[in-house]
Each structure stands twice: as C-alpha cells, then as structure tokens.
Amino acid sequence: MITFDDKIKKNFGFGCMRLPTCDGEIDYTKFSQMIDTFMEAGFNYFDTAHGYHGGKSEIALRECLTKRYDREEYVLVNKLSNFCFESEADIRPFFENQLKWCGVDYFDIYLMHAQDKNNFKKYKECRAYETAFNLKKEGKVKHVGLSFHDTADVLDEILTTYPEIEIVQLQFNYIDYDDASVQGKLNYEVCVKHNKPVIVMEPVRGGSLVNIPPAAQMIFDGLKGGSNASYAIRYAAGFPNIVMTLSGMGNIDMLLDNVGYMKNFKPLNEAEQEAVKEVCKIIKAQNLISCTDCKYCVGGCPQNIPIPTFFACLNSQKSYGGWGSKMYYEIHASGGVKASDCIGCGVCEKICPQHLEIRDLLKEVAAEFEK
Ligand code: SF4
Ligand code: SF4
C-alpha cells in the first residue's frame, strides 16, 4: 500500500453525505459523538461537497469538527461541483464561501467533482483545473484531484491533459470491478498507469452490498467473521494503489462496525477473497441480460449505440433498484445517443454471440430510463 500524505492517519475516511438527521436537519449532537469516536479510534479523514445535505454538510462540519478540533488534527476534503459555477469568474468566490462554510482557511484536498466527458468539457472551458492549481500555489488547497464517473478512456484523457492532478476518487467495489458501465477495474488501471493514488467511494455500492440475496448471505455467514459491509470495504481497501476508502456513515453503529475492522486494517485473506467471488456471482446471477460485454455489436451499429453499456445499466437497475443506475444511464446517453435511437436494422443481432434480442432489450432500456 502506498502513502499519499503523512497527515492522513489511516486508510479509512468519513463520507459526510448521509449524516444522522432529526426532523430533516443534521443532528449535531449525534454527528459530534460520531466524530469524537472516529478521532479517538485514530482516524482523521473527512469528505464533503456542497451538494451533500443541500449545503448543510459543510456547515455541520464547521460546527461539529472544525470548531472543536485543531486544524492539524484532521484532513478535510471538499469539491468543486458542476452546479456551483458557470464561468471561470464564479469559481474563486464560490471556493472562498466553501472555506467560510467549513470554517477553515484551506482544504487538504480539493476535487473536481463527478468528472465525466461532458463535465470535463465545461471544467476545461471554465479553467477550473487551472484555478485549483493556482489555489494550491497560494496554500489554500494542499492537493488537487478529481472524482470520476465515466469510462476509462475519458479518465485517461483527463489525466493526460492535466498531469498535475495528484489523486483520483473512483467508484470501486466488488460488483462494479468488472462492470461495463462503471468500469472500476479499468479506471483503477488508468490511475496506476498515470501513477495516481486512488480514493474509493461507494465501496458498499450505496449500501446495496449490505442487503444481499440469502444464498450470498450464507456464504459470508460461513466465514464466521465480519459484517457484509466489512467484506466490501476491506475488498476495496486491499488494492495496492488505494490510499483511502470512504464510507457514508449515518449512525454510530455503522461507524463502530467500520472502525472496528479498519483500525488495524487487514486485506481479505484467501478464504474471504473466494467468498467475495462467490457472493459476486450470486448477486450477478440476478442479471437478466446475459451480455458478456464482448462489444462485437458496437462497431457496426449505424446509430453508435453503446449497447453493452446500456445493458449494464439495466442489469444494475434490476439487481439493485434505483440506486445510481439511472445516473449512469444519463451519463452514457449524454453524448446524444439514447437507447430509443435504435432504428431496428438488426445488424447487431446478426453478430451477437449470445444471440440476444438486442432491439427488444433496448426498448426495455428506453422504457426504464427514458420515461
Ligand atoms: S438494431 Fe439498433 S442497436 Fe442494433 S445495430 Fe441497428 S440501430 Fe444499432
Ligand atoms: S455482441 Fe452481444 S454479448 Fe457482445 S456486447 Fe453486444 S450485446 Fe453484449
């Protein structure tokens, strides 16, 4: 495992997007208790963004963390989100407000938030990366990075365009590792190629890897060890280029479970790795489209429809419900090509080795995500 910044005490961080609430407001008493427990256990990394809790996550961090601890004791990460600026001139005033909302005079890491091909175009045009690099020169940001949701070729383009980027935050978990839409493995490999350490977001896939099918549960129960979340988080944290794994913790029980096994982190052993593989197979067996992502169909499509990627989104939707799949569909369709653009020529079906009825399946995709 590599080290990114000596100030980061451990490889597990507090994602502040699902904080404890009471009557719709963040519960400062509970949040403060969680922070104290987290810090006492030797952890010190906190991740936020302006959109979390509609801007209230930043304020809660000021009230519960930054007013109560010395600046050197914690690592605070914030992000520049797409909806927070329309031009280069908007970025600095917004950033200064973020410092005020959080009650600090610098961020340890500042991420260009949720980069994909379209967002990257806007960030480039508005010189967002250049602005962040200048903030670093001024000491208002210690490190500049990005968080990412798109295909590996787009990540490669961003890291090639801006080699000054120091760190990348990826959606990475045992289900998305070889998912054609999320591309966890491929994106991780791009980071390795560019020598960028990785922060993991959604290691438990928005909580969906906690509630797994009964047959999968029996496999984890057979290990007589940790919680379902523990296997998901330790799986992600065990990759050598991963310096930080985040969990969006909403209550003290979740936090106690997480700090219990991450305090003295051990990667999954061989038996646990095997169990995760089996669980993964069971979860994936719920998928209804047996597309193998061979991509044979893609090149010949006159409409340039990313067929396997759209199928991965529908499979994800069927397996896990609403979480994330629609967002990924919209990202992949945002280049202007939707499932409903299929003209029914049938070229793809002639080449598909799985003999899938691609035209009908694309209608299902469109019905699910374009309604
Ligand atoms: S049937 Fe639709 S998806 Fe298949 S090649 Fe033709 S346009 Fe593309
Ligand atoms: S050819 Fe068939 S199996 Fe291969 S990616 Fe296309 S739909 Fe999937």
Side-chain angles (χ1 to χ4, degrees):
M1 209 167 298
I2 56 170
T3 304
F4 175 62
D5 181 329
D6 289 340
K7 192 178 168 191
I8 299 173
K9 289 193 187 163
K10 289 192 181 291
N11 64 343
F12 179 69
F14 198 144
C16 298
M17 77 293 284
R18 301 183 191 103
L19 298 175
T21 56
C22 182
D23 297 330
E25 295 296 324
I26 296 171
D27 187 325
Y28 286 2
T29 306
K30 284 186 182 162
F31 186 32
S32 297
Q33 283 166 353
M34 289 171 76
I35 289 173
D36 294 345
T37 307
F38 191 66
M39 297 284 274
E40 277 161 24
F43 299 87
N44 69 339
Y45 187 103
F46 296 85
D47 171 274
T48 190
H50 188 57
Y52 298 169
H53 290 274
K56 292 176 185 169
S57 168
E58 292 172 318
I59 311 276
L61 279 161
R62 182 185 69 210
E63 296 304 312
C64 304
L65 176 72
T66 70
K67 274 189 180 174
R68 298 172 62 243
Y69 286 88
D70 290 340
R71 186 66 187 90
E72 281 314 299
E73 290 181 274
Y74 57 85
V75 172
L76 183 56
V77 181
N78 210 335
K79 310 187 185 82
L80 177 65
S81 308
N82 181 28
F83 68 92
C84 300
F85 68 101
E86 290 308 324
S87 69
E88 182 178 0
D90 295 338
I91 297 173
R92 272 183 179 267
F94 176 75
F95 174 84
E96 294 296 338
N97 277 332
Q98 285 185 295
L99 290 177
K100 275 188 216 136
W101 292 324
C102 290
V104 293
D105 53 13
Y106 71 90
F107 292 120
D108 295 274
I109 302 176
Y110 198 54
L111 301 177
M112 304 294 105
H113 197 184
Q115 296 296 278
D116 59 35
K117 57 182 173 297
N118 290 327
N119 276 353
F120 179 54
K121 190 166 175 278
K122 173 178 168 181
Y123 280 59
K124 218 168 133 190
E125 281 166 6
C126 293
R127 293 176 47 81
Y129 284 86
E130 287 81 355
T131 306
F133 299 141
N134 285 334
L135 289 168
K136 183 183 167 185
K137 279 184 203 147
E138 295 160 27
K140 291 178 174 179
V141 162
K142 300 295 178 196
H143 304 286
V144 176
L146 65 104
S147 69
F148 187 74
H149 291 283
D150 206 334
T151 49
D153 56 324
V154 176
L155 181 58
D156 192 44
E157 185 196 338
I158 297 176
L159 295 179
T160 304
T161 308
Y162 292 115
E164 304 96 318
I165 291 163
E166 295 164 89
I167 194 157
V168 177
Q169 186 160 310
L170 293 179
Q171 180 169 323
F172 192 86
N173 55 63
Y174 63 74
I175 289 292
D176 288 328
Y177 185 68
D178 51 12
D179 181 87
S181 170
V182 179
Q183 301 200 349
K185 176 177 186 279
L186 296 175
N187 282 324
Y188 174 81
E189 286 169 356
V190 168
C191 293
V192 172
K193 180 181 121 184
H194 286 269
N195 204 20
K196 307 296 177 193
V198 173
I199 305 163
V200 169
M201 57 182 157
E202 304 295 1
V204 195
R205 215 175 189 277
S208 64
L209 301 182
V210 171
N211 301 311
I212 57 178
Q217 189 61 57
M218 277 173 65
I219 291 171
F220 279 158
D221 289 348
L223 294 171
K224 298 188 174 27
S227 60
N228 292 349
S230 76
Y231 297 117
I233 288 174
R234 286 174 56 225
Y235 169 87
F239 283 74
N241 231 49
I242 285 173
V243 291
M244 178 56 56
T245 301
L246 300 174
S247 175
M249 296 177 281
N251 60 56
I252 190 77
D253 292 338
M254 226 183 255
L255 186 139
L256 287 171
D257 181 41
N258 288 341
V259 301
Y261 55 81
M262 291 305 283
K263 200 170 172 178
N264 298 305
F265 170 69
K266 286 194 181 68
L268 296 182
N269 63 31
E270 216 171 296
E272 290 168 333
Q273 289 279 7
E274 282 309 308
V276 163
K277 268 189 210 156
E278 289 307 307
V279 164
C280 201
K281 270 190 218 157
I282 292 168
I283 294 173
K284 290 195 167 186
Q286 296 175 307
N287 286 351
L288 299 181
I289 304 176
S290 57
C291 170
T292 57
D293 192 33
C294 67
K295 297 187 174 61
Y296 293 164
C297 56
V298 175
C301 173
Q303 297 293 86
N304 291 320
I305 294 172
I307 298 164
T309 309
F310 284 172
F311 287 172
C313 291
L314 186 58
N315 281 342
S316 177
Q317 175 75 7
K318 286 178 177 176
S319 297
Y320 307 109
W323 189 84
S325 311
K326 187 165 169 48
M327 178 190 83
Y328 271 100
Y329 176 76
E330 284 167 359
I331 287 171
H332 293 305
S334 62
V337 183
K338 304 187 297 298
S340 58
D341 291 330
C342 171
I343 54 170
C345 67
V347 170
C348 53
E349 292 183 13
K350 288 192 185 118
I351 202 166
C352 176
Q354 307 302 319
H355 310 294
L356 295 176
E357 292 176 349
I358 294 173
R359 288 172 284 192
D360 287 347
L361 289 168
L362 284 173
K363 283 182 192 148
E364 259 188 63
V365 172
E368 184 63 45
F369 295 119
E370 296 176 26
K371 57 195 170 191

